[in-house]
Each structure stands twice: as C-alpha cells, then as structure tokens.
Amino acid sequence: MNSRIEEAIDWPVFMSRHDMLWSTRPISWDEGAFLGNGMLGAMMYSEEHRDKRNVLRFVLGRSDITASRPGNRDFSVRVPIGELALELEGWIYQPCEIRLDLWNAELRAVIPTTKGEVRIRALIHATAPVLLVELDADEGEHDAKLKWYAYPEVDPVLKNADGINLNQFIPETTVQHLKSGEISIGVQEYGSGEGCTTAWLTCRPDPTERKLGKWNRQTCILTVMKGVDNTVRDQAVQELRAVPLSTIGWEAWLHAHRQWWHHYYPESFISIPDTQLESFYWIQMYKLASATRADSLPIDNQGPWLTSTPWPGLWFNMNVQMSYSPIYTANRLHLGMSLIRSLQEHQEQLIRNVPKAYRKDSAGLGRSSSYNLHSPVTDEVGNLTWVMHNCWRHCRYAMDDNMLQDVVYPLLRRSVCLYLHLLEEGQDGRLHLPPTVSPEYGSFKQLKIADAHYDLALLRWGCETLIRITDKLGIHDSLHDRWRDVLDRLVPFPVDSSGYMIGENQRLDFGHRHFSHLLAAFPLQLVGDTEEERELILRSLRHWIGLEGDLRGFSFTGAASIAAILGLGDEALAYLRSLMHLIKPNTMYKEAGPVIETPLAGAESIHDMLLQSRGERISVFPAVPEEWPEAVFHRLRSEGGFLVSAVREEGRTAWIHICSLAGGSCRIATDMVSSPDAGLVLEIGGMSTVCPIQADGWIHLVMQAGEEAYIYSDHWSGSSPFKISPIPAEKGKCNMFGSRKPWRLYGIPR
C-alpha cells in the first residue's frame, strides 16, 4: 500500500486529554482507577471509614479464578481474591493528584497525608501477569508499607465497602503463608483442589538512604495464578524471577509494556467534537484490551475487576454479545479471538447443553455459565445463535473463510437445528415456535410467549446466513432446502399499532430494559430496507423507550444504535447523553452488580453514527448529529475486509479513503453524492476518473487486495494531503472521567 494519508496525530498528547484524573481519592469501585492485561486486573481506591483513611487499596482480580458451589449447583463462579494495601502513616489528605495515563497504561499519583507525602506508579504489564507498584515516601511517611491480604484477611470495613450481595457465593477459604527465598507466597484453598496462589516481592533501597533524607522507595511486583499445588507455586515464583531488576533489564521490561499499548491504540482512530463522548470512547478501547486478549478468556460480566455482584460469570442473553460488539468496526479483531477460541474448545459442551434427543445435530447455550460453557438450554433457545452472529461479524470483517468453515458454519448449523426441532406447522400453514422466553421481558413473571420476536429473528437470520455460507463455500448441505422452506413459511414478526410485539398476542405493555423484541432491527438488521420497515422500526423504538419503567443503561445503547441505523443522528446522540447519566465516574456501569457490556456497547453506538456496513454496503457518516459539523475516523473496518477513513468538515464529508485488505466489491453511501453541485473524483490505482454514481445513489467499487481508493469532490484539492488529525477539544471538557466532579461548573469561563 502506498497511502497518501498524512497522520497528524500526536498520540501521547491526544490520549492525555482523555486520561482519567482524580483530585480527591477514589472511594469505591465506581470511581477506582483500573489496570489490566486481559487476565490479571487491579483497581485502586480507598475507603471513607475513619479507621481506614490511611489505606489505599489495589483490589486484585483474575478472570479465571472460580470456585464450585456446594451440591454441584449451577456453575463455578468468580470469587474475590484479595488486595495489595498501601498502608500510610497519616490519613490521606486532599487534594491528591492521580492520573490514569491511557497511552502508557500506567497509574501515577501524588498522595498527601496528614504526616507527609507519597508518590506512586502502578501498572499491570501488558504481556506478563505481573502487577508493579512503585512507592516513593518522604520522611513523614517513611514507614508506609505495601502489604498483601488474602481475601479472608481483608478487614471487614474494606471487604464490605462496596456493599454485600447476599446472592454472591464466597467460598470458605484457608490461607497458607509461605516463602521461597526472598519471595512471599500466599495460597488460598477453596477445597476440592480449587484456589489461587499469590506471590510477591518487595524491594527496598539501602537503609542508609533514609539517613541522608532521601525518599524511601519501595518496589513491589506481584502475580496471581490459578491453582494451589506446588507446580503453580513454582510457576508464580518463576514469573516474578523473570522480571529483570537490573536497571537496563528493568527499563526494557517497562518499554515492552508500553510498546504493546502504543501499537494497540493506533489500530484505528476516531475524533468527534463532543469531547466527553470522545473520552468515553477511548477509555472503552483501553478497557477492552484490559479485559481480554486473543489468548485469554471471554469477557464476562465484570472483566478482571470483580466486586459485589449477583452475576459472577458469563451471561449469554446479551452481555457477552454486546461486550464484543465494538471490536469489529474498531479494527481490533484480535481481541475477539478469546470468544472464538472458547467456542472452538468447548464445542462438545455446547452439544451437551441441549436435550439428549437433539444432540445428534444441535447445540445451544443457556442463560449463564462459567468459562467451560456448561449451560443447559431450557426456555432461552437463541442465545448461541446470537453469539454466532458475533462470530459471523468477525469472519465478515476479517474475510476469514477458514474460521467460517471450521467454527461459524458447524456451530451456527447446530444452533439452527435446535430451532428446527421445535418448529410446528399451524393451521395457517405457517411455521411457528412454541412458547419461549424473550430475554428480560417479564422476568419475574417468568413469561413465555409463542412466536417470540427474539427467536423468530434469530432463526430467520440463522437460516439466511447458513444459505449464504454454504453457497460461498460450495458446501452441499442436506438441510439447504429445509432452511429455504423455513424462510418461506416462518410466521412474520408479530406487529401491532405500537410496533414490534414481544411475540404472539403479547404487545409491549410495560417497561422492558432489553431490546430482545427489536433484534430484527438491531443487531441482526433483517429489516430496514423499505420506508415501511423503517417507519415500523421507529414507531417500535419510541414506544419502547417511552415506557420508562424498567430502562437500564444498555437500553440506551441499543436505542442509540437503532436510531443511528435509521440515520437519526440527533436522536442517537440524545440516547448516548442519557447513558452518560448512568455511567459511573470511571466509566464502569453497575446495576445490582457490575455489567461491563453497557459502556462497551456505548462505543459501538458511536461507531454506528460514523460508519455502518452491511453486506457490500458501506455508509460513511450515516448518522452524524447536526451539532457535529466536524468528525474524523481512520482505519475503521467494515464488512468485506475494508479499512475506511473519512473526514467531515463544515457539515459535509470532505473525502473518503478505502483500502481493501481481501479484494472484492463494495457500495459506498455518502452525503457527497447528494450535493447539488457534486462532481466527485475517484482515484484508484494511481488513476483519477469521474466517480461513477449508480442510479441507486451508491458508489460501486471493485477492488483488488491491497488496493486503495480515494473519493473527493472536484472542488476539493486532491493534490493536498489527505490529513487525519484530531478535532480540537472543547474547552473545559477534557479529562472528564475519574472521580466524581460535582464542583465543575459548566458554562462558567475557565
């Protein structure tokens, strides 16, 4: 590729305007500064209780540490594992200076106390399961110390700071303290061979430095491993001994951490004139890579930052699907491999999840599970099919036929077969589904509805996609005609005057936080091609959001994406701003417990305002609000394996750049076409021509792998560089997230 795009992005400066800042100490999970590397996590915060005002906590988490509940009930659940506490001589005083440096994925802090001052740097290494905490203490805090506590040893004042959830299982735990040379080891056993092992090493300077009045430096490196046997202990010790403590080796180790993140962020770029939402977006990109990696576990309901929760595992009736939704357009497909790998590794379990009579050809997922995906299907039938929609997107954005054939096709086929076993022919000659649960609607009433929109949409999408896959791969499947028959005879989506219904004879009568009755519109996009369908979607959307009784944060992310699909940028923005009222100060989200998918899905809603793709269709700036006259994105990815960049200036698209990674055709929708004096230039393969606009208003392109195309108005100087640079930040709107900032007075000159 010989791109003419000039990337005028000073990444450290740009990202610094989105760093999370605290001028008062964070006092809860809602405000904590979080670190992670896809498996190991830590969140730093304090506690208001007067007896603990001298403690700054690094609450630890590791995604794979689970415990079995008594009686082999349900599934193994995530459990808390303890914390590294910074215990100070004095009380933590105000104001402090805490910054979560996103570009370097490091936390830095200056903490005054009533006795002195400490300075902190902390990180979790990008590629090693090691937490580093560096502490510099002045003479007044010369006895400040870092101390590890197993979860049972954590003071109840701290342990219960985020509340107690009576539905959360906490195993009986025995703690053993050991030493291996200079390394301390803590083993927590839950019984039946389950548990975790923590190892840590604290290095201090020569004691004579104190006498010289220098700062007292401590460096603590800590790791946590799943398991309690000698092999695990040895592994933990080896992990710490692999950290080079010499000056040269230490700098190289830290450099490797930073380099990983410096490579990660520029995989794509967006900038919008709403600085708060722009910051929110980039913190979600940081959060994604902190929560999962290609070789890690799937993202569960909280990522590696566990706190009090009734949901200590994976939930498949929306949470997992929405957690992964931003990675495709953001061009961060490697993060999605954690989900793909999990499905590959547990295909046999997915088969065992369905009734024995169906296992010959079917597979499924119930509502929730641990990482082994053991989750029998009962009354929620379509969850695996929805997960396969994520995998289908992954294949379409990567153009990976091997993944399509080895993972998506066999598992999607099995998930659809489960539906085929349930279909019944009615007296009307149509195919109907028996009563099932439409996720989240009437949960406490345990409502089951025949012909639920949720299941009809997933079955229809599944059959359409299987036909498309087998045609593409040249597979002669014996069920091909059966899928076609289902598409021809499946009962239509139930509709009434309010829009899409929950199912047969069940309109949306009361508040419904889930968009399960709108799945055909989003994310499956089975409808919306005609004005009649778009009017129906809009009517359904506004009726749903108008019933305020049970809306949640993810209701607004779904609403924003649906509005964006309809081209309603102002409405999409209004929904996202409603979401901002529910997001915690550190951009986490919580109901009865943490649910990470909501803020992550908010990032996908922003994508939907900037770039949409469906099949060969790519829509550039399809739903930009009126108050965003400028916007820019670079290397966002679309279906078909295209990387798309575009700049919006003075309320119109200035230029578009498209790079084909796999070769193929695409159709571009842009507001440049609708300009009355549109004279568009297409530059491709080094040649400039008049841009061909088809009768349908789309720009049709056929590109070779590696080929680039530029589209711009003939009024715009194509000889000028195609420049990518950030939108100027709004005054007073940088660094909005971190601790609570009720004292910020908006509209007052600063």
Side-chain angles (χ1 to χ4, degrees):
M1 291 183 290
N2 186 25
S3 178
R4 292 170 50 203
I5 292 180
E6 176 188 335
E7 295 185 33
I9 308 167
D10 186 332
W11 277 97
V13 172
F14 172 72
M15 293 299 291
S16 69
R17 77 193 198 188
H18 306 311
D19 290 348
M20 288 193 279
L21 301 183
W22 293 258
S23 55
T24 59
R25 72 190 192 281
I27 58 170
S28 70
W29 183 92
D30 297 0
E31 302 177 26
F34 53 92
L35 304 164
N37 67 358
M39 180 67 80
L40 183 65
M43 186 179 284
M44 188 193 80
Y45 53 101
S46 184
E47 160 59 27
E48 276 285 68
H49 194 286
R50 62 174 287 118
D51 292 342
K52 296 298 177 182
R53 286 183 186 169
N54 68 319
V55 178
L56 201 56
R57 316 163 63 193
F58 289 85
V59 180
L60 303 170
R62 183 170 160 124
S63 297
D64 62 349
I65 295 176
T66 60
S68 300
R69 288 180 278 190
N72 202 25
R73 183 167 60 92
D74 297 331
F75 55 86
S76 298
V77 295
R78 291 279 304 278
V79 291
I81 60 177
E83 55 194 68
L84 182 68
L86 169 55
E87 298 178 345
L88 301 165
E89 287 291 288
W91 284 359
I92 298 172
Y93 206 56
Q94 316 291 11
C96 57
E97 300 174 21
I98 304 173
R99 175 181 287 265
L100 183 54
D101 176 347
L102 298 176
W103 177 241
N104 293 312
E106 296 177 9
L107 182 151
R108 295 189 296 274
V110 178
I111 308 293
T113 75
T114 53
K115 295 289 185 67
E117 181 179 283
V118 294
R119 299 174 183 175
I120 301 167
R121 174 168 72 158
L123 60 89
I124 291 181
H125 198 277
T127 60
V130 176
L131 167 68
L132 159 71
V133 179
E134 286 184 343
L135 171 67
D136 286 327
D138 69 4
E139 192 62 26
E141 283 290 347
H142 68 275
D143 286 330
K145 59 182 179 293
L146 290 161
K147 186 175 180 181
W148 175 78
Y149 290 90
Y151 182 73
E153 299 170 339
V154 175
D155 190 293
V157 169
L158 299 176
K159 188 182 296 185
N160 301 323
D162 288 315
I164 302 172
N165 194 296
L166 298 178
N167 293 317
Q168 184 171 13
F169 172 68
I170 305 295
E172 292 188 14
T173 305
T174 60
V175 182
Q176 185 179 13
H177 291 268
L178 305 168
K179 295 285 286 187
S180 178
E182 73 283 17
I183 295 175
S184 300
I185 302 170
V187 180
Q188 299 181 74
E189 295 191 55
Y190 311 140
S192 302
E194 296 177 320
C196 64
T197 298
T198 304
W200 69 99
L201 170 64
T202 302
C203 304
R204 291 180 172 84
D206 190 296
T208 58
E209 289 193 356
R210 287 190 191 174
K211 298 176 182 178
L212 297 174
K214 294 184 179 180
W215 288 77
N216 174 26
R217 167 162 292 187
Q218 299 178 45
T219 300
C220 180
I221 52 176
L222 176 149
T223 189
V224 184
M225 298 288 178
K226 179 182 176 68
V228 295
D229 60 27
N230 292 336
T231 301
V232 173
R233 298 176 200 176
D234 292 343
Q235 182 184 358
V237 169
Q238 290 169 11
E239 196 68 59
L240 294 187
R241 289 186 174 152
V243 178
L245 298 179
S246 66
T247 301
I248 295 176
W250 183 253
E251 290 303 318
W253 189 76
L254 293 174
H255 179 73
H257 162 77
R258 290 185 170 187
Q259 282 297 103
W260 191 95
W261 286 96
H262 296 174
H263 174 77
Y264 167 75
Y265 285 117
E267 289 170 342
S268 63
F269 174 76
I270 77 158
S271 184
I272 53 179
D274 186 320
T275 306
Q276 181 190 25
L277 276 180
E278 184 182 89
S279 292
F280 171 79
Y281 175 87
W282 282 104
I283 294 168
Q284 302 324 300
M285 295 302 103
Y286 166 76
K287 189 184 295 177
L288 269 171
S290 300
T292 195
R293 297 290 175 80
D295 58 352
S296 187
L297 295 170
I299 305 173
D300 67 0
N301 274 26
Q302 54 278 305
W305 308 288
L306 184 68
T307 188
S308 177
T309 180
W311 305 307
L314 297 156
W315 259 251
F316 294 105
N317 59 1
M318 181 201 64
N319 306 71
V320 168
Q321 293 90 328
M322 298 310 295
S323 293
Y324 281 90
S325 64
I327 69 162
Y328 312 110
T329 305
N331 192 30
R332 305 181 194 278
L333 296 182
H334 54 97
L335 298 180
M337 289 306 300
S338 56
L339 178 59
I340 300 290
R341 285 179 50 258
S342 178
L343 295 168
Q344 283 181 300
E345 293 172 2
H346 298 102
Q347 289 189 55
E348 291 303 315
Q349 180 57 60
L350 295 172
I351 294 170
R352 291 193 295 270
N353 285 340
V354 302
K356 192 172 183 179
Y358 303 152
R359 290 175 186 171
K360 182 179 179 180
D361 58 11
S362 302
L365 263 173
R367 178 174 297 183
S368 54
S369 80
S370 187
Y371 298 108
N372 61 7
L373 305 190
H374 172 69
S375 183
V377 177
T378 54
D379 46 20
E380 282 184 5
V381 179
N383 296 339
L384 178 58
T385 312
W386 190 359
V387 172
M388 297 317 301
H389 179 260
N390 285 71
C391 300
W392 164 252
R393 288 189 72 189
H394 196 130
C395 290
R396 284 291 301 153
Y397 283 64
M399 296 303 285
D400 187 335
D401 284 353
N402 290 329
M403 183 187 298
L404 193 64
Q405 181 162 316
D406 297 341
V407 182
V408 178
Y409 166 60
L411 281 178
L412 178 58
R413 186 184 192 275
R414 281 185 167 273
S415 75
V416 167
C417 277
L418 181 58
Y419 275 122
L420 299 185
H421 287 297
L422 303 179
L423 279 174
E424 302 169 346
E425 184 172 343
Q427 293 181 355
D428 56 0
R430 292 281 193 175
L431 298 176
H432 295 262
L433 286 170
T436 56
V437 165
S438 181
E440 307 285 337
Y441 188 72
S443 297
F444 296 113
K445 293 185 176 183
Q446 297 182 319
L447 289 179
K448 293 184 181 180
I449 301 107
D451 290 332
H453 176 108
Y454 178 77
D455 292 302
L456 291 176
L458 287 166
L459 175 55
R460 182 168 291 279
W461 173 82
C463 289
E464 287 183 358
T465 304
L466 283 168
I467 290 172
R468 187 173 175 182
I469 291 172
T470 52
D471 289 350
K472 175 180 174 60
L473 298 179
I475 296 173
H476 300 285
D477 195 300
S478 60
L479 289 177
H480 190 281
D481 291 343
R482 174 66 166 145
W483 301 327
R484 176 60 61 192
D485 180 60
V486 170
L487 293 175
D488 290 341
R489 296 202 294 140
L490 190 64
V491 65
F493 302 119
V495 172
D496 72 355
S497 59
S498 68
Y500 287 112
M501 301 171 68
I502 300 296
E504 180 187 1
N505 299 323
Q506 180 61 63
R507 63 177 282 140
L508 185 63
D509 285 330
F510 49 82
H512 181 27
R513 58 191 181 186
H514 203 304
F515 45 88
S516 55
H517 68 299
L518 294 172
L519 227 62
F522 173 78
L524 303 181
Q525 296 192 50
L526 297 171
V527 294
D529 289 334
T530 68
E531 283 304 314
E532 182 181 9
E533 288 177 343
R534 293 168 67 82
E535 189 280 329
L536 177 58
I537 294 169
L538 182 58
R539 180 159 33 106
S540 305
L541 169 65
R542 291 179 176 170
H543 174 68
W544 168 47
I545 291 297
L547 297 175
E548 299 180 353
D550 196 30
L551 298 182
R552 297 291 187 271
F554 59 82
S555 311
F556 293 106
T557 69
S561 287
I562 293 170
I565 289 170
L566 296 174
L568 303 175
D570 292 338
E571 190 163 336
L573 180 60
Y575 293 132
L576 284 179
R577 286 182 172 163
S578 297
L579 171 68
M580 290 301 104
H581 291 291
L582 303 175
I583 293 296
K584 301 304 180 184
N586 59 2
T587 81
M588 293 293 186
Y589 174 76
K590 184 191 291 184
E591 293 171 10
V595 271
I596 197 174
E597 85 292 321
T598 291
L600 296 180
E604 175 71 341
S605 299
I606 294 172
H607 288 154
D608 290 334
M609 300 164 75
L610 301 176
L611 181 73
Q612 295 175 24
S613 63
R614 178 182 167 200
E616 293 187 348
R617 293 179 288 180
I618 300 173
S619 300
V620 178
F621 296 128
V624 178
E626 285 292 326
E627 62 185 86
W628 291 4
E630 299 176 322
V632 56
F633 63 82
H634 185 38
R635 284 197 294 263
L636 293 185
R637 189 181 280 248
S638 74
E639 284 197 44
F642 296 96
L643 297 183
V644 186
S645 305
V647 169
R648 177 178 170 87
E649 297 174 349
E650 299 179 352
R652 296 200 68 81
T653 303
W655 57 266
I656 301 169
H657 171 257
I658 300 167
C659 175
S660 175
L661 300 179
S665 59
C666 62
R667 294 187 291 157
I668 312 298
T670 168
D671 62 356
M672 290 192 286
V673 170
S674 63
S675 175
D677 58 347
L680 297 186
V681 176
L682 170 65
E683 185 179 314
I684 188 168
M687 302 292 291
S688 297
T689 62
V690 175
C691 187
I693 303 172
Q694 303 299 317
D696 59 7
W698 296 73
I699 298 169
H700 292 220
L701 300 178
V702 179
M703 303 177 68
Q704 301 298 315
E707 200 165 34
E708 297 179 82
Y710 299 83
I711 302 170
Y712 52 90
S713 169
D714 56 8
H715 297 299
W716 187 81
S717 175
S719 61
S720 301
F722 296 88
K723 187 176 181 179
I724 296 290
S725 58
I727 305 298
E730 296 175 279
K731 187 176 181 180
K733 294 293 186 71
C734 293
N735 311 114
M736 293 275 296
F737 296 99
S739 61
R740 301 183 190 277
K741 299 176 175 65
W743 54 87
R744 282 205 174 187
L745 301 177
Y746 300 109
I748 305 298
R750 298 183 60 160

